[in-house]
Amino acid sequence: MKPFPQSPSSRSLWSLSLLTVACFPLCTGVLHATGWFGPAPRWLESGGIRSQAAPEFFWDIELKRIAAEVAEKDCPFPYRPAGPREEYPAGMSQYLGAGPPEEAPEQRPWLATARADEADFATALKAGRLKVTDEAAATAAHHAMRVWLDAKKYGKAAGEAPGGEAPGEFADYHAGCAAAVQEEAIAVWEKLLARPQEERHYRSVWSAFMLGKTRWRAGDFTGAVEDFRRTRELARAGCADSLALAAESYGWEGQCELEQKRYAAAARLFLQQLALGDGSAVLSLRAVVPPLPQQDASPDEGKELWDLAARDPLLRRVVTAHVLATETVSWRQLGESKRCVRWLRAINEAGVRTVEDSAALGWTAYATGKYAEAARWLALERKPTTLGRWLKAKLALREGRFDEAAKILPGVISALPPDDGLREYDNDVSYLPGASARADLAVVRLAAGDAPGALEAWYLGCSESDCAHLAERVLTTEELGRFITKRLPQLPSRPTVGRLGEDGGLIGDRLRSIYGRRLVREGRPKEGRAFLSEPERTSLANYLQALGRVEKKGTPPAERARALFDAALIMQREGAGFRGTIEEFNSKDFENSDHNDPLVIERTTGVAIRQGTDPVTFEEKTITGLPTIPAGREERRRLAATAPERAISMRTAVLAAGLAKKAAALLQDNTEELADVLDTAGSWIEDLDNPAADKIFAQLEKRCSNTAIGRAAIARHWFTRAGGPWSGKRE
């Protein structure tokens, strides 16, 4: 019977592709399968549901934490990770032909074995541990045997083993490798281990390890366990371990215990393996986690496995870590986590009173919406932990005790592993532990009225959308300027949108651009220009230059009109980049972008609005309620103060149309230039301000009836969008 038949979960296997052997099929789905490729949701949106939810937990991060606590301290066995791709040893091509099969380095341990074997042989000769009459001939014979053995692994060995090796431990070890049957190999290696220790210094560890693997293949798991333990004993006694097999033996012994259904013993060995740095133990540990029953199975199916894990202190910690990693995700609806519910039930039925990871169980309860139970588990902590302090802060946040949460969270953040070192765990750094804790800190700072402090916390947590919201709508221009010029240079850079593997720029650059655009909107273009990107600065310079031509004394009306229309074209096409609001900037390639930000409506009205799914009809519906984090009076005042900038009259298209109308006032009737200006201006605002567009069309009819553009517009009763002598040909 196989131990705990598994159904791998995407979260449990997330980030393992770089850590495990490629022969295991990994599920590497993304965080949200919604098809949305824009910025991550803001933490305050939908009533603050992200702020209320449990953070993301990561299977391997939690396992490493447990391993560091339970593994043997100062373990003398170093782990050697797989090295870079190596060339085949000399002489190998005669067996394998043009080249080797394509494999990842960790799947080709025999290359490292060949090099270590030859290096040990050379060391033994130099140290005088191996006595030979002709070192060159002995080395050649050893190399020939090594190449033959490596070819034998792929069924490419030609004829019998070359033989001729110098008598001793190397020849004996090779004889075991060349044996045709397992019994013969076992006998050869056991005979080698019976030699006096000084005659088997280099191949004792190798032989014991191979004995364990051979017996494991034969199904003799009890004997294999003894061999893997003997591997470590020999290494501890001073025998050479050039392949770090003593460290590797923990994983193999764990597999043997797993085969015998001794799950706790297997878990301890895998954790020791992980503590030494072997990431493949993460996948092995998945095998000690009981699976959920199938959807149509009895609720008691597999109950004995859950009960076993609940009663054992070590298994309990491992399973709790897996439940956290697979179920307590921030986008899951409360009550949706069957695994959390099943695990907590097993713990309670086991009558557990003393729990090593009680805070982790508290988070499990929190994820199911059982906040009182979460607090009960938290109270069982014997000494404060980082997870426990974070849970305490989260419970305080939920209950509106923001001052208490604000005091706890900085210590939590400093104790969490830095996100920069964890980027292989997720494709969005804004979901990593440190970023999530910083988001919690930002929320409570905002609730306390500290908007600049909230901006810094969200910035460090790579929450670009939240940073943009504060920079645009909540901070004053002066506060944002102080952050950009004084504080930002002291902070590390952070990627936009939290995406990895994409050159999306830096959040700091986006904030600088927002500040520059705010200055331009406030009539301070010279100050704002320094904070814009190079393309935006160029657009602004061209716009100001065009306006400068208008103001030049003595300029004829037609030339002034052309300068005004040039400025209008720049404003329409590029104005979002150098003076637009964040909504316009983010949607500058689309028409009719929505300026009624649901988050602002929530924060100003105190009514949360989010979309949900009806559990009966499965139809989308709008859900209203109170925000988790209410907006204070000062935040509402600031949102109201920045609201006029979102008015239709401030849209770049409307401003551009205004410039075009000024240009039209300087042109003579029934010219194609005038018709082009009016037709273009009207088309810019026809969907934004229809009454104003009607007035422009009336001018087009009255003043341009004898032009080609005017006649075409009159015939279709609306703007042609055809372009003209000044606007150019339009699509």
Side-chain angles (χ1 to χ4, degrees), residues 550 554-564 662-668 726:
V550 177
T555 304
E559 292 184 20
R560 291 176 59 206
R562 181 59 192 265
L564 279 166
K662 290 181 180 180
L666 297 171
L667 293 172
Q668 294 182 358
W726 283 3

Side-chain angles (χ1 to χ4, degrees), residues 293-453:
Q294 297 300 316
Q295 188 169 1
D296 55 352
S298 165
D300 291 330
E301 181 179 322
K303 184 176 183 300
E304 68 280 2
L305 301 180
W306 286 90
D307 291 345
L308 170 65
R311 289 191 300 270
D312 184 89
L314 185 60
L315 281 179
R316 193 162 57 232
R317 300 187 69 181
V318 172
V319 174
T320 299
H322 191 267
V323 168
L324 281 175
T326 56
E327 298 297 317
T328 56
V329 290
S330 60
W331 46 266
R332 189 180 296 281
Q333 298 294 321
L334 292 178
E336 193 176 82
S337 174
K338 294 181 180 179
R339 191 180 292 267
C340 285
V341 173
R342 181 67 177 268
W343 181 231
L344 288 171
R345 187 179 72 187
I347 294 288
N348 290 323
E349 289 178 353
V352 176
R353 294 293 178 266
T354 303
V355 182
E356 293 74 11
D357 271 357
S358 59
L361 283 171
W363 276 116
T364 306
Y366 185 98
T368 65
K370 299 178 180 178
Y371 305 115
E373 185 173 352
R376 179 175 66 81
W377 284 115
L378 179 60
L380 293 178
E381 265 203 327
R382 286 175 288 186
K383 61 178 181 179
T385 64
T386 302
L387 282 183
R389 290 194 295 271
W390 194 357
L391 178 57
K392 184 177 181 180
K394 199 76 167 183
L395 289 168
L397 186 157
R398 273 201 83 261
E399 296 166 4
R401 294 180 279 114
F402 302 123
D403 290 343
E404 179 182 346
K407 292 177 182 178
I408 298 171
L409 285 167
V412 171
I413 293 169
S414 63
L416 289 170
D419 285 347
D420 287 344
L422 302 176
R423 292 191 171 190
E424 73 271 24
Y425 291 106
D426 212 332
N427 72 333
D428 186 341
V429 294
S430 68
Y431 284 88
L432 291 174
S436 294
R438 285 186 172 91
D440 287 339
L441 179 60
V443 164
V444 297
R445 282 179 174 173
L446 184 61
D450 181 10

